[in-house]
């Protein structure tokens, strides 16, 4: 009988050679080497199978595997390493900016992992195994998954850096495009990646500080090396987040300056139109004694006064420095 909810399965032989197993056929849990079973935890049948199967893992590890906990963590108990790590969701073969979580239980003979949505790192690891990548131990397989997590985030970071370069060019070149929406999206992406990487590297720093001498060599993750790479990547993400913040501030200053210039132009136009408006109001008074009332060219004289009043106002404002 096939295993319900199984996405893929690999058997790693003692020489490190991976073998892809058909998921529509029964899979023997007792074997030589390492067995990797990856499940779709959104399938209720998979949860039932994992609850009843004799996986020979501690109850705490099985409970975390079946839970919906989104807190990144890494634990060891009775020659077993288990936990929850974050990854980026995958959509039609492409990494998205949304966060997903991979749950796993690892012993010397078996690695059981599961997710509720398609993830990038485990899929990249699957492709690497199908291409013939050799795996020495369960810890090496888990390290490969974490390395692909970092690779995926590194790719997103490269895309963000390129987008920031384009936005910076728009800001400095006085482009007509409005990059505010793009900058907001980039800052949000940097914030998500930072939160994800920060939690992940803290998990491995804490794991490195534990006394792991009691663990079997096949389960000893090189947590320090993984944490070091995650630290470097997180530092890059933080720098890009700060860069996006500075670009947004510069853009706001630029928009504010443009607004001030517009207000200045409106103020000047208003000042230029005030004298003609005053003259028009005077000639519109229904009183006796208004000038030019008896002249046939009165309209021309009034128009000339309107123009001269605007010209006089212009030179006065230029004289006092309002108009440059």
């Amino acid at each position: 009988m096939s295993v319900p909810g199984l996405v893929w399965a690999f058997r790693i032989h003692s020489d490190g050679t991976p073998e892809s197993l058909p998921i529509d056929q029964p899979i023997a849990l007792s074997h030589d080497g390492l067995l990797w079973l990856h499940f779709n935890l959104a399938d209720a049948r998979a949860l039932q199978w994992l609850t009843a199967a004799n996986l020979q893992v501690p109850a705490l590890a099985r409970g975390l595997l079946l839970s919906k906990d989104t807190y990144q963590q890494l634990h060891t108990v009775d020659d077993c390493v288990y936990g929850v790590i974050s990854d980026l969701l995958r959509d039609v073969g492409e990494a998205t900016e949304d966060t997903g979580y991979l749950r796993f239980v690892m012993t010397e003979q078996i690695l059981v992992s599961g997710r509720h949505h398609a993830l990038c790192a485990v899929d990249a690891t699957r492709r690497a195994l199908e291409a013939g990548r050799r795996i020495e131990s369960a810890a090496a397989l888990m390290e490969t998954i974490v390395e692909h997590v970092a690779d995926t985030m590194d790719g997103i970071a490269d895309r963000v850096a390129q987008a920031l370069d384009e936005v910076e060019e728009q800001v400095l070149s006085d482009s007509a495009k409005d990059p505010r929406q793009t900058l907001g999206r980039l800052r949000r992406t940097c914030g998500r990646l930072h939160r994800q990487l920060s939690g992940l590297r803290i998990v491995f720093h804490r794991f490195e500080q534990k006394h792991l001498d009691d663990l079997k060599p096949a389960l000893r993750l090189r947590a320090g090396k993984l944490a070091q790479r995650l630290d470097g990547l997180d530092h890059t993400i933080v720098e890009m987040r700060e860069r996006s913040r500075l670009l947004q501030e510069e853009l706001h200053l630029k928009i504010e300056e443009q607004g001030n210039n517009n207000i200045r132009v409106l103020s000047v136009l208003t000042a230029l139109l005030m004298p003609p408006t005053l003259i028009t109001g005077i000639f519109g008074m229904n009183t006796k004694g208004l000038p030019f009332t008896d002249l046939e060219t009165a309209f021309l004289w009034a128009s000339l006064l309107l123009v001269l009043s605007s010209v006089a106002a212009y030179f006065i404002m230029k004289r006092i420095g309002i108009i440059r």
Side-chain angles (χ1 to χ4, degrees):
M1 182 178 177
S2 61
V3 179
L6 187 63
V7 182
W8 63 71
F10 283 90
R11 177 169 285 119
I12 313 296
H13 297 286
S14 56
D15 61 350
T17 305
E19 176 190 358
S20 178
L21 303 177
I23 61 174
D24 57 349
Q25 297 180 11
I27 296 177
L29 297 181
S30 58
H31 58 88
D32 295 330
L34 173 66
L35 181 65
W36 180 22
L37 302 177
H38 183 63
F39 287 88
N40 176 15
L41 298 180
D43 191 334
R45 299 173 303 161
L47 300 179
Q48 294 174 359
W49 188 90
L50 289 170
T51 302
N54 183 21
L55 298 177
Q56 296 182 353
V57 297
L60 289 175
R62 191 193 300 264
L64 184 60
L65 178 66
L66 300 176
S67 72
K68 294 185 178 180
D69 197 347
T70 58
Y71 173 70
Q72 296 193 78
Q73 51 195 294
L74 202 55
H75 307 284
T76 61
V77 60
D78 297 337
D79 287 327
C80 174
V81 179
Y82 64 99
V84 179
I85 62 173
S86 62
D87 190 10
L88 296 178
L89 298 183
R90 180 173 56 86
D91 182 21
V92 195
E94 184 181 46
T96 69
E97 299 173 2
D98 297 322
T99 302
Y101 295 92
L102 176 70
R103 310 167 199 286
F104 70 93
V105 177
M106 180 176 66
T107 66
E108 196 173 15
Q109 290 80 30
I110 190 170
L111 171 63
V112 181
S113 60
R115 50 53 170 187
H116 289 89
H117 305 280
L119 301 177
C120 293
V122 285
D123 187 70
T125 304
R126 173 188 62 82
R127 294 195 301 268
L129 294 183
E130 290 176 345
R133 177 167 180 170
R134 292 178 177 269
I135 299 295
E136 299 175 356
S137 61
L141 179 56
M142 195 63 215
E143 289 169 3
T144 303
I145 294 175
V146 177
E147 287 172 358
H148 282 299
V149 171
D151 289 340
T152 304
M153 294 187 184
D154 206 359
I156 297 291
D158 288 341
R159 283 160 44 184
V160 171
Q162 184 177 359
L164 283 175
D165 290 340
E166 295 175 358
V167 169
E168 186 175 27
E169 184 66 24
Q170 292 174 8
V171 172
L172 297 180
S173 62
D174 293 331
S175 173
K177 295 181 179 179
D178 187 357
R180 282 180 291 180
Q181 187 174 0
T182 302
L183 265 178
R185 179 179 58 81
L186 293 176
R187 288 192 67 182
R188 184 170 62 253
T189 299
C190 290
R192 287 179 176 178
L193 292 178
H194 171 62
R195 289 192 298 270
Q196 191 171 349
L197 280 169
S198 179
L200 193 57
R201 65 186 183 86
I202 289 174
V203 162
F204 282 104
H205 277 302
R206 290 176 178 173
F207 189 80
E208 184 186 16
Q209 296 171 0
K210 293 181 178 179
H211 299 289
L212 304 178
D213 297 335
D214 297 336
L215 273 179
K216 294 180 179 179
L219 299 176
R220 293 178 187 172
L221 293 168
R222 293 178 295 177
K225 180 181 178 181
L226 295 174
Q228 185 176 7
R229 182 179 181 189
L230 295 172
D231 283 341
L233 184 56
D234 187 41
H235 182 69
T236 301
I237 296 296
V238 170
E239 285 184 343
M240 288 194 298
R241 186 180 65 175
E242 182 65 17
R243 181 186 175 193
S244 65
R245 185 185 66 81
L246 292 176
L247 279 174
Q248 200 165 35
E249 290 181 356
E250 185 172 354
L251 181 61
H252 285 164
L253 290 175
K254 180 180 177 181
I255 293 174
E256 184 178 353
E257 183 179 356
Q258 291 176 347
N260 291 337
N261 289 335
N262 293 335
I263 293 175
R264 184 185 185 88
V265 171
L266 290 175
S267 300
V268 169
L269 289 176
T270 302
L272 291 175
L273 293 175
M274 282 180 62
T277 302
L278 177 62
I279 294 175
T280 302
I282 292 174
F283 279 104
M285 291 188 299
N286 193 13
T287 57
K288 293 183 178 181
L290 289 176
F292 312 136
T293 54
D294 298 330
L295 296 178
E296 295 182 357
T297 58
F299 175 77
L300 296 177
W301 284 105
S303 299
L304 180 62
L305 282 177
L306 295 178
V307 174
L308 290 177
S309 63
S310 292
V311 172
Y314 171 79
F315 281 107
I316 291 173
M317 287 188 291
K318 188 174 182 180
R319 178 76 175 178
I320 61 180
I322 296 178
I323 298 179
R324 295 185 180 89

